Amino acid sequence: MKRLLLVAVAALALAGCAQNFDQGPEGRVTDKVKSGKKFYLVVEPAKGGEEKKFRVSKYDYHDCNRGSKYPKCVDD
């Protein structure tokens, strides 16, 4: 019983650490911005319109390079 309780507590702790940010528009990454411990991508939408800056996890930030296609760069 104690083991089950410990597993449940550990799972909840890990779930609380996960970062979940809204996904930005499809398009090309034109810039990457780091502000303290916050990471942002700037994407030029594939369907036209103005560039959009949005917050991403540090893993997405490191996976996406300038010129890469977003969100595909996150899935690779």
Side-chain angles (χ1 to χ4, degrees):
M1 186 67 160
K2 281 186 178 181
R3 180 177 247 180
L4 182 60
L5 181 61
L6 288 173
V7 170
V9 169
L12 287 173
L14 287 175
C17 294
Q19 294 177 330
N20 189 16
F21 302 108
D22 290 336
Q23 186 172 343
E26 280 189 30
R28 293 264 174 220
V29 177
T30 57
D31 200 7
K32 296 167 61 166
V33 180
K34 181 179 175 190
S35 176
K37 292 186 178 183
K38 295 179 182 178
F39 300 90
Y40 299 89
L41 292 178
V42 180
V43 170
E44 182 178 333
K47 297 181 180 180
E50 294 184 23
E51 291 182 329
K52 180 168 172 134
K53 177 180 171 183
F54 53 96
R55 190 169 174 196
V56 294
S57 72
K58 69 178 176 180
Y59 305 106
D60 291 348
Y61 177 85
H62 291 295
D63 287 346
C64 292
N65 297 311
R66 287 175 187 86
S68 62
K69 189 174 181 181
Y70 182 85
K72 186 169 174 28
C73 58
V74 174
D75 297 330
D76 290 340

